[in-house]
Amino acid sequence: MRLNKIKVVELFAGVGGFRVGLELSSNKFETIWANQWEPGKKVQHAFDCYVSHFGVSCNHVNEDIANVKHSIPPHNLLVGGFPCQDYSVARTGAQGIEGKKGVLWWHIRDILDLHRPNFIVLENVDRLIKSPGSQRGRDFAIMLRCLNDMGYGVEWRVINAAEYGYAQRRRRVYIVAFRNSTEYFMEIAESVCAKGKDIIYSQQYSKGFFSSIFPTQNKINDNKNSVSWIDEMKYADLIALSNDYTIPLFNSGIMINGQVISGEIIPTECRPVTLREIRHKEPVDEKYFLNGSLKKWQYLKGAKKIPRIRPNGEPYYFSEGGMCFPDDLDKPARTMLTSESSVNRSTHVIEDAVTGRLRLLTPVECERLNGFADDWTNTGMPEKFRYFTMGNALVVPIVEKIGQRLLEIM
């Protein structure tokens, strides 16, 4: 019997993390169009890696999304990870309301406005829900208002992969949106009406998107919850919202019919995979070892209190705490950055399993931290870009669980 495929469009695809996770969860997901473009790069290493795994196709597009967004075919599910930027808006004469920065979000909005897929899954850094520092929550509230105006409900959750058993303490916000014409929207809307803000904390709230795949403790933080409205009754348009929004948002929340309910949830943690478990058991190339003096590394990883001068002449101290050096093998990795393997504070340094000497993580170990197959990025790109792409990637098993949950409700 032929399967009824769920047609997926993958934006800002990188090396294919969303696609890998969805296809691991089920063969019912079919990626019909994907876009990856690294601005300012002559060689598109991430896109080349994507094509090496998924094949050459006219629907694998290596161009600026601004130039190709109108050629995207109709689809059921839109997915993608995109940068956290400034989403403030301004009035621009005859053009109406327009984003000043954060242009990638406005391209996503244009795609949604054209196709209105039933479901959307987006991933971003967790600071999105607190940005900007001067007006916390505004940027995410603008996104929520855009989605509400197009007829979507939204659930979001900040997920630390290590708290749910994976090998990296990588915190990302996952945003799931659903059309108000879907049965799922109707169920959520009914639950919100019945439970109000308690919906965020209730263990009995089994219909929520994240509750069954990323369970939480039944605890309420009375100081970290909010209920607000972002619709036209509260803010006439995006300009008013951009100028006046002041309600804090937290690591979990729901937006239905313009009402936003948010709260700080506590995950039900399970034992994570550790650095020791993902570390090579066999010998690794000599180039990964720290040879010579360790003073530079000890300084970078150590506590500091450095006198500095502000632009206005005012003195202050730059301070940062000490870090474990080398990294604790019996804990999951810290969040991996695009600068992994360079000589800086954030780079992991571990004890080698064979020699006991200190070394960097290998590209394969970095792939394991994100749940990719060994040598996924070994497709001809320079080694520094293998680290770069993993620093940009998402944790594949998180997407796999999201895919399984989507199948239950789509």
Side-chain angles (χ1 to χ4, degrees), residues 132-261:
S134 60
Q135 195 183 354
R136 289 196 161 197
R138 181 205 67 194
D139 290 354
F140 193 42
I142 287 172
M143 292 174 56
L144 293 176
R145 172 62 182 268
C146 290
L147 290 165
N148 181 72
D149 289 350
M150 288 187 288
Y152 286 92
V154 179
E155 291 184 61
W156 75 88
R157 174 81 69 84
V158 173
I159 298 171
N160 180 337
E163 291 174 341
Y164 290 100
Y166 304 111
Q168 186 182 175
R169 286 169 274 174
R170 195 173 188 87
R171 290 168 56 87
R172 293 292 185 267
V173 59
Y174 288 86
I175 304 155
V176 176
F178 34 91
R179 287 279 307 277
N180 56 15
S181 58
T182 61
E183 291 184 14
Y184 184 73
F185 180 97
M186 306 299 182
E187 292 177 359
I188 298 302
E190 183 178 350
S191 295
V192 169
C193 287
K195 296 184 179 181
K197 74 176 184 179
D198 290 339
I199 196 171
I200 298 294
Y201 310 104
S202 174
Q203 287 281 49
Q204 286 69 49
Y205 177 49
S206 59
K207 293 180 180 178
F209 187 89
F210 297 102
S211 58
S212 62
I213 51 176
F214 302 111
T216 64
Q217 300 178 34
N218 192 16
K219 294 182 180 180
I220 298 175
N221 189 330
D222 290 330
N223 298 318
K224 291 187 176 182
N225 62 77
S226 63
V227 179
S228 59
W229 292 86
I230 58 166
D231 62 3
E232 66 278 3
M233 300 296 291
K234 176 73 174 177
Y235 302 100
D237 55 22
L238 281 175
I239 296 290
L241 180 63
S242 183
N243 291 339
D244 301 331
Y245 187 84
T246 58
I247 306 299
L249 299 173
F250 301 96
N251 68 3
S252 181
I254 296 173
M255 188 277 293
I256 294 286
N257 293 325
Q259 184 180 25
V260 180
I261 304 171

Side-chain angles (χ1 to χ4, degrees), residues 98-124:
E98 187 173 279
K100 292 190 289 185
K101 296 182 182 178
V103 293
L104 295 182
W105 165 249
W106 305 110
H107 295 321
I108 294 171
R109 186 185 67 166
D110 290 344
I111 295 165
L112 295 174
D113 197 37
L114 178 64
H115 290 295
R116 305 293 173 101
N118 281 340
F119 287 87
I120 309 158
V121 181
L122 302 173
E123 177 257 10
N124 208 304

Side-chain angles (χ1 to χ4, degrees), residues 61 124 142 157 187 262 287 334 338:
V61 180
N124 208 304
I142 287 172
R157 174 81 69 84
E187 292 177 359
S262 181
K287 65 183 178 181
R334 292 172 286 105
T338 55

Side-chain angles (χ1 to χ4, degrees), residues 76 94 191 243 245 267 309 312 344 400:
N76 313 115
S191 295
N243 291 339
Y245 187 84
I309 304 295
N312 63 3
N344 69 67
E400 184 179 0

Side-chain angles (χ1 to χ4, degrees), residues 195-354:
K195 296 184 179 181
K197 74 176 184 179
D198 290 339
I199 196 171
I200 298 294
Y201 310 104
S202 174
Q203 287 281 49
Q204 286 69 49
Y205 177 49
S206 59
K207 293 180 180 178
F209 187 89
F210 297 102
S211 58
S212 62
I213 51 176
F214 302 111
T216 64
Q217 300 178 34
N218 192 16
K219 294 182 180 180
I220 298 175
N221 189 330
D222 290 330
N223 298 318
K224 291 187 176 182
N225 62 77
S226 63
V227 179
S228 59
W229 292 86
I230 58 166
D231 62 3
E232 66 278 3
M233 300 296 291
K234 176 73 174 177
Y235 302 100
D237 55 22
L238 281 175
I239 296 290
L241 180 63
S242 183
N243 291 339
D244 301 331
Y245 187 84
T246 58
I247 306 299
L249 299 173
F250 301 96
N251 68 3
S252 181
I254 296 173
M255 188 277 293
I256 294 286
N257 293 325
Q259 184 180 25
V260 180
I261 304 171
S262 181
E264 196 77 12
I265 56 88
I266 302 171
T268 303
E269 297 186 36
C270 56
R271 190 191 79 81
V273 174
T274 65
L275 276 168
R276 189 182 302 278
E277 291 170 274
I278 66 96
R279 180 181 60 167
H280 288 290
K281 306 303 186 289
E282 65 280 357
V284 303
D285 195 295
E286 182 65 24
K287 65 183 178 181
Y288 299 112
F289 288 90
L290 307 187
N291 294 314
S293 173
L294 297 179
K295 287 184 179 179
K296 174 85 171 184
W297 287 101
Q298 290 165 341
Y299 171 77
L300 289 169
K301 301 284 187 176
K304 303 173 191 64
K305 191 172 184 180
I306 305 169
R308 291 183 178 173
I309 304 295
R310 300 186 194 279
N312 63 3
E314 177 185 346
Y316 74 102
Y317 282 95
F318 167 76
S319 300
E320 59 185 8
M323 298 175 66
C324 186
F325 179 71
D327 285 275
D328 190 338
L329 290 170
D330 294 316
K331 291 183 178 179
R334 292 172 286 105
T335 299
M336 185 168 39
L337 305 181
T338 55
S339 58
E340 186 68 40
S341 84
S342 64
V343 181
N344 69 67
R345 179 177 167 86
S346 65
T347 288
H348 291 80
V349 176
I350 64 170
E351 185 180 278
D352 183 61
V354 177

